Amino acid sequence: MVRVGIINVTGYAGAELARLLHVHPEARLSAVSGRSAAGKPLAEVFPHLACHDLTIGEEVGDVDFVFSALPHAASAEALAPLVRAGVPVVDISADFRLRDPQEYAQWYGVEHPAPELLPQAAYGLTELNREAVRSSRLIANPGCYPTSALLALAPAVKEGIISPEVIVDSKSGISGAGRSLGLTYHFAEADESVSAYGLAGHRHLPEIVQELAAMWPRAGATEPPRPKVTFTPHLIPMSRGILSTCYAPLAAGKVSSGEETREVYREFYKGEPFVRVVDSPPATKQVSGSNMCLVYPTVDPRTERLVVVSVIDNLVKGAAGQAIQNMNAMLGLPETAGLEAPAVYP
Amino acid sequence: MVRVGIINVTGYAGAELARLLHVHPEARLSAVSGRSAAGKPLAEVFPHLACHDLTIGEEVGDVDFVFSALPHAASAEALAPLVRAGVPVVDISADFRLRDPQEYAQWYGVEHPAPELLPQAAYGLTELNREAVRSSRLIANPGCYPTSALLALAPAVKEGIISPEVIVDSKSGISGAGRSLGLTYHFAEADESVSAYGLAGHRHLPEIVQELAAMWPRAGATEPPRPKVTFTPHLIPMSRGILSTCYAPLAAGKVSSGEETREVYREFYKGEPFVRVVDSPPATKQVSGSNMCLVYPTVDPRTERLVVVSVIDNLVKGAAGQAIQNMNAMLGLPETAGLEAPAVYP
Amino acid sequence: MVRVGIINVTGYAGAELARLLHVHPEARLSAVSGRSAAGKPLAEVFPHLACHDLTIGEEVGDVDFVFSALPHAASAEALAPLVRAGVPVVDISADFRLRDPQEYAQWYGVEHPAPELLPQAAYGLTELNREAVRSSRLIANPGCYPTSALLALAPAVKEGIISPEVIVDSKSGISGAGRSLGLTYHFAEADESVSAYGLAGHRHLPEIVQELAAMWPRAGATEPPRPKVTFTPHLIPMSRGILSTCYAPLAAGKVSSGEETREVYREFYKGEPFVRVVDSPPATKQVSGSNMCLVYPTVDPRTERLVVVSVIDNLVKGAAGQAIQNMNAMLGLPETAGLEAPAVYP
Amino acid sequence: MVRVGIINVTGYAGAELARLLHVHPEARLSAVSGRSAAGKPLAEVFPHLACHDLTIGEEVGDVDFVFSALPHAASAEALAPLVRAGVPVVDISADFRLRDPQEYAQWYGVEHPAPELLPQAAYGLTELNREAVRSSRLIANPGCYPTSALLALAPAVKEGIISPEVIVDSKSGISGAGRSLGLTYHFAEADESVSAYGLAGHRHLPEIVQELAAMWPRAGATEPPRPKVTFTPHLIPMSRGILSTCYAPLAAGKVSSGEETREVYREFYKGEPFVRVVDSPPATKQVSGSNMCLVYPTVDPRTERLVVVSVIDNLVKGAAGQAIQNMNAMLGLPETAGLEAPAVYP
């Protein structure tokens, strides 16, 4: 059994890791940390985690594998000594996602605490980057919005179906904002309401652009175009789930119908246990609590645009589930280990 | 007092008309019809409407003004004799919105029941079409989605700020689907979930295109471009509210910042009692129960796109409230009569 | 026009007063205060209140009538000088509800700031205490739970239908907890969940007991029994609304069926504009946004118990609406002035 | 591997069985039936169950174990031949819960289809009836409300803590009403609302009374009292979960404080994997998706009443999870097999 530690178990991503690890056949959660709650039983902070007979500590101590669910900057600081000591880690924070430390500084407002580790980090969107994940000891777990957008767009980009004028309109449940308090997340304010935010630039935008740019096909020796992406996240009155609706103009002469496009997508994701191309628009509830991503690509023939709808559970495929999927890939375990439970529906 | 009748009071739009008319200073609800519930007291079908001491009838009989909240086709059939008799009417159905009866037949799957009345009908988006509304006896009350999209885009179109490559991504509460039953609207299915629908073409699309095309500025003698609109509605787990996020490329050299754009919008909507241009992204809850539309236009400088977010209550500004606003305009009453109640928040 | 001031407009009760006063035909909101937000336009704190062109001040200054929506203790302190100066006031806090300052100190943990004013205060459950309200200048506006419980039980108590073994099981929307932050009220924690709280004794319990005791019929010269009340509030994932389910053993020989009981209740509340006895169990949504209380009494013949279900909107009949109803009664205005809007349904 | 069949997989209980069985280490779902959907792939009806590569059939055919999720009457009819053939079954319907076929006829409005099987049936509230469950081939899976009420009250009844004047006030998520359509369950009607129902007598009442009566302690040779139970279910705007608040007068001289009572309860449920006595009032969300029941007993010292709050997921411990727990007990498997996943929180 792999002895696993979670740094900062007291947020939603940390708690979700603990939930999922309880049914992992090859891993055992053996230590959890969290500064504000250190000394408390895990069951006191999260009654649903009483199954783990653990006390929250200051540190995770000697374990075989570490997940960090710390906020950015704090996460890289905490992980750097572990990485140097050879402990395999998955970082759920944003610290190792952007390859350029200057872009990181610009979007996150702090100097990167460990830029020298960036070259070792693999971007852990497992389906799109499996080989790099398998051979790395430091995984940057993708953001929840980028996961939903990139899985929706990757086949279209890689197969040359679209031009690089992309709009990603995302709808997220409120757990995406984390467990800290804010008037926006007060039930009476958020319930029965929907709103847009981050219109001046959300931190997940550069991550989406970086990954889309990296996968854009080159035409001969010329540099591929840098995709022009507008990304608008919205707050939805639900606890979990992200639905992303992605729009891009069709490139000439590739596909002309939704069915044709779904065929391309099905081929692209063939054999993937956690991505399913569906024949009608999916709902976030169909993946709630599970590591699945459902993708529905179609074509608007009136405007010759590709429209792709994808759904994930932001805390599972968008955070803790994908982190475990990455751990599995890193350790040579079956990628589905511990992640086989279907969605909780309804 | 204007004696008002509501045809088909038993759906949400009909009930909402009755709710709003109860506080109208110049109008009195004097008759309501609804076939399935004919003979029942209104208070039995809608306990919140016990304030109206009315029994649901087969017909509305002799009244001064009629609202129809019937489904399409049935509505035009019921209204045609009234229109011919000179009774001023507002039709909440879609029957008189599309000016071309062939387009109507194509989208609604039936021949138009009264195409000869189409030329008399005014499209009742009051803010954008006030003079026509004032002088007409037959108002086509706009669809809920078109209301939110057109109020969001009209200033940009009319001021030449954007090119005609438009994406409208709308999020609607579930009352928009009406009061009839369907598994999609079962609480346990719809709660904690978001989904897209109508991707093959929603009936509100031709309405949006028709009205945007009509307002597109002409450059000299040449025909203006037909806007290319992709419209994707989404179902949100809330009862009321629509938020539309609209995207279009900026036309060269017109505006370059969000603040500048908001200035244009503020000027455009100056003096309008029901449209307010706001300085931060609005939430649907801020208009719940009221006839207000909040509009937040901004610019994505990275991609040179206009992004506009608008919110309305789909049953008020998106249906019954706008219908009363149109009645007020038609009858020479203050446009705000009966519509002054602020939103119910939180 | 009565010039009205609201002390502490920044909470939900304060904002709800401002919402309702906007459509009051005889009163005009002329000043609002709120320490943390002093200097800000009201529309900035509450976009739905942009209809009031007011800036939040430190004090309400010279007005004809004052509502205080301050927390307990602070409220009595702020109101005392106004009461002494002869300004009529309604206190929405708990400060003047309990007649015994020692009981107040015990439940609220502070000495009463103005015990000498207690004898002047009238308990403002208008339907049950109308004459006292009309002749008082200082109204203690009832708590939301007591309003729902007392309206449900008063006819049974006063008509001698029940024995004094009472259980009140209440279900409240989350706005009842106010606008301050707490993990319990975080959307992701409160949504899709129900919980009980206050089991060791909620502050509304002594208020319920005091008022029930006062209305218990005397049998001859002997002191009536002190009712034994267990009160359990629950948090429901909705913004507004309280439903109270009240249980008590039937006294022998008074009523034996639900229909008979409803007849007694109908007679009791005859002519009351805001209390309606209904023939089937009501839903909180049927009163949302309105000042109505729906009451459904019935009998469990298997156990000879009375069961009464009542619903109110906690922010209207449970707070701001009742406060305005009290103002109307105090000033000799029609009690329904400004309170005529039906519930916003659905 | 036990080959399992589910009769009528198309409702929520059936689908939940399929969800849970997918991770059962010793059982494999091998056949599912459902008349209306026969011939369709399970994944078409329930996209979250695509993990089962099954087509819905007319019958479940040759399997080792059968769950029936049919409606009452239909269920007994379908199960009778299987029981006679020696196939072990768990019936999720109400057909074998009431021991008296006349009481069944009275509450369910039909003659019992197989009264001769009633003596063989064990009431499958596993914790309270384990030995009977282990030795039976026909399990009557308890109703969701009775499960929550009986687990809340059993220790108090069996330890003689309370008198038999019991009130059960239950709050249920809307999946409890099943997947069939009704205006009451339309999202726009049910959202933001709470209501009581079944006040004239809910079908779960006789089940609660029967089981409480059976466990009431005998004092010498005299028949124990028949408990007088009032049961009021409420509809809560959430998909899953039941919270029951139970009230009863304390018997003299047994316990006097909440802590003392919790000690009795802890002892009673010692070693039970699915019932946990907690030290603060629980929330339904803490058990969502899991087979756990959290119980919080306390004492109202002012009135000398016991108050117990319990929470379960109505579809898991209240239906499918308990059914699997019963299967495990019947087959000699670890009772927790397939049921180890913690709640999905938040």
Side-chain angles (χ1 to χ4, degrees), chain C residues 107 164-171 187-202 205 228-232 234 236-243 245 247-248 281-286 288 296 298-305 307 309 311 345-346, chain D residues 107 164-171 187-202 205 228-232 234 236-243 245 247-248 281-286 288 296 298-305 307 309 311 345-346:
Chain C
W107 284 93
E165 298 281 339
V166 176
I167 286 169
V168 177
D169 188 291
S170 294
K171 296 88 180 165
F187 185 91
E189 306 275 324
D191 184 43
E192 274 285 306
S193 200
V194 55
S195 57
Y197 70 103
L199 287 150
H202 187 281
L205 172 63
K228 288 174 66 180
V229 181
T230 296
F231 165 55
T232 315
H234 299 76
I236 303 295
M238 59 186 187
S239 293
R240 287 173 177 246
I242 286 179
L243 180 146
T245 316
Y247 303 89
T284 58
K285 194 160 206 164
Q286 292 164 354
S288 188
Y296 176 74
T298 193
V299 158
D300 177 358
R302 294 173 200 86
T303 59
E304 300 192 308
R305 289 187 184 120
V307 183
V309 178
V311 297
Y345 183 98
Chain D
W107 284 93
E165 298 282 338
V166 176
I167 287 169
V168 177
D169 188 292
S170 293
K171 296 90 179 164
F187 185 91
E189 306 276 324
D191 186 43
E192 274 288 305
S193 199
V194 54
S195 57
Y197 69 103
L199 287 148
H202 186 282
L205 172 63
K228 288 175 65 179
V229 181
T230 296
F231 165 56
T232 316
H234 298 77
I236 303 295
M238 58 186 187
S239 293
R240 287 174 177 244
I242 286 178
L243 181 145
T245 316
Y247 305 89
T284 58
K285 196 162 204 164
Q286 292 163 356
S288 186
Y296 176 74
T298 192
V299 158
D300 178 357
R302 293 173 199 86
T303 59
E304 299 190 308
R305 285 184 188 124
V307 183
V309 178
V311 296
Y345 182 98

Side-chain angles (χ1 to χ4, degrees), chain A residues 247-308:
Chain A
Y247 304 89
L250 288 175
K254 291 286 188 167
V255 294
S256 58
S257 75
E259 186 41 53
E260 217 178 319
T261 313
R262 287 190 284 282
E263 209 38 68
V264 172
Y265 270 62
R266 258 186 229 110
E267 185 61 28
F268 187 90
Y269 284 124
K270 195 162 69 180
E272 287 296 342
F274 296 123
V275 181
R276 197 150 63 89
V277 180
V278 289
D279 287 320
S280 55
T284 58
K285 196 162 204 164
Q286 293 163 354
V287 298
S288 188
S290 86
N291 200 48
M292 292 301 297
C293 175
L294 305 185
V295 181
Y296 177 74
T298 192
V299 158
D300 178 358
R302 293 172 199 86
T303 59
E304 299 190 310
R305 287 184 186 124
L306 176 76
V307 182
V308 192

Side-chain angles (χ1 to χ4, degrees), chain C residues 95-161:
Chain C
D95 281 348
F96 298 99
R97 294 180 196 158
L98 298 179
R99 279 185 274 281
D100 176 353
Q102 291 187 323
E103 192 167 28
Y104 176 90
Q106 175 192 330
W107 284 93
Y108 288 90
V110 288
E111 288 302 301
H112 197 289
E116 73 285 0
L117 296 179
L118 283 169
Q120 305 177 32
Y123 186 76
L125 221 171
T126 337
E127 285 79 8
L128 304 179
N129 214 18
R130 183 164 281 127
E131 288 319 308
V133 167
R134 282 182 179 157
S135 60
S136 176
R137 312 299 279 169
L138 166 56
I139 301 297
N141 210 58
C144 49
Y145 288 121
T147 297
S148 72
L150 295 169
L151 289 173
L153 289 166
V157 171
K158 294 200 170 187
E159 303 300 332
I161 289 176

Side-chain angles (χ1 to χ4, degrees), chain C residues 2 9 15 62 90 106 118 242 248 280 295 309 324 343:
Chain C
V2 183
V9 76
D62 177 36
V90 171
Q106 175 192 330
L118 283 169
I242 286 179
S280 56
V295 181
V309 178
I324 290 173

Side-chain angles (χ1 to χ4, degrees), chain B:
Chain B
M1 292 292 264
V2 182
R3 295 169 306 149
V4 173
I6 301 171
I7 303 179
N8 198 34
V9 76
T10 54
Y12 288 141
E16 191 71 352
L17 280 164
R19 172 177 83 84
L20 293 167
L21 286 167
H22 183 62
V23 295
H24 197 291
E26 311 278 350
R28 190 170 50 79
L29 183 58
S30 58
V32 294
S33 76
R35 279 162 300 182
S36 62
K40 289 190 190 170
L42 183 55
E44 188 183 319
V45 178
F46 291 114
H48 73 298
L49 296 178
C51 50
H52 294 291
D53 191 16
L54 286 171
T55 297
I56 300 172
E58 296 276 354
E59 305 281 339
V60 293
D62 177 37
V63 291
D64 305 322
F65 197 96
V66 166
F67 294 101
S68 168
L70 281 167
H72 66 89
S75 196
E77 273 173 42
L79 288 178
L82 295 169
V83 174
R84 286 180 202 119
V87 181
V89 305
V90 171
D91 180 17
I92 293 190
S93 91
D95 281 347
F96 297 98
R97 295 180 194 157
L98 298 179
R99 278 184 276 280
D100 175 355
Q102 292 188 322
E103 192 166 29
Y104 176 89
Q106 173 191 333
W107 284 92
Y108 289 90
V110 288
E111 287 303 301
H112 197 289
E116 74 285 2
L117 295 180
L118 283 169
Q120 307 176 31
Y123 187 75
L125 221 171
T126 337
E127 286 79 7
L128 304 178
N129 213 19
R130 184 164 280 128
E131 288 319 308
V133 167
R134 281 182 180 158
S135 58
S136 174
R137 312 298 281 168
L138 167 55
I139 302 297
N141 212 55
C144 50
Y145 289 121
T147 297
S148 73
L150 295 170
L151 289 174
L153 289 166
V157 171
K158 293 200 170 184
E159 302 301 329
I161 288 177
I162 53 172
S163 319
E165 297 282 338
V166 175
I167 286 169
V168 176
D169 188 290
S170 293
K171 294 90 180 165
S172 173
I174 290 168
S175 65
R179 214 183 184 212
S180 45
L181 302 180
L183 192 54
T184 311
Y185 317 125
H186 189 302
F187 185 92
E189 306 277 323
D191 185 44
E192 274 287 304
S193 200
V194 54
S195 57
Y197 69 104
L199 287 148
H202 186 282
R203 284 166 172 177
H204 285 179
L205 172 63
E207 189 179 335
I208 295 171
V209 173
Q210 167 186 286
E211 294 303 310
L212 284 183
M215 65 176 82
W216 218 278
R218 288 160 184 277
T222 62
E223 198 63 16
R226 185 147 184 95
K228 287 174 65 179
V229 180
T230 296
F231 165 55
T232 316
H234 298 77
L235 222 49
I236 303 294
M238 59 186 189
S239 294
R240 285 172 179 249
I242 287 179
L243 181 146
S244 288
T245 316
C246 307
Y247 303 89
L250 289 174
K254 288 288 188 166
V255 295
S256 58
S257 75
E259 186 42 52
E260 220 177 315
T261 312
R262 287 189 285 280
E263 209 39 67
V264 172
Y265 270 62
R266 258 186 228 109
E267 186 60 30
F268 187 91
Y269 284 124
K270 196 162 68 180
E272 287 297 342
F274 295 124
V275 182
R276 198 151 62 88
V277 180
V278 289
D279 287 320
S280 55
T284 58
K285 195 161 206 164
Q286 292 164 355
V287 298
S288 187
S290 86
N291 200 48
M292 293 299 298
C293 174
L294 305 185
V295 181
Y296 176 74
T298 192
V299 158
D300 178 357
R302 292 173 201 88
T303 58
E304 299 191 309
R305 288 185 185 123
L306 176 76
V307 183
V308 192
V309 179
S310 69
V311 295
I312 60 170
D313 182 321
N314 59 307
L315 294 180
V316 190
K317 185 62 180 168
Q322 183 146 269
I324 291 174
Q325 186 181 355
N326 281 321
M327 176 188 79
N328 291 341
M330 291 164 83
L331 300 181
L333 301 170
E335 224 168 87
T336 57
L339 299 170
E340 297 187 337
V344 178
Y345 182 98

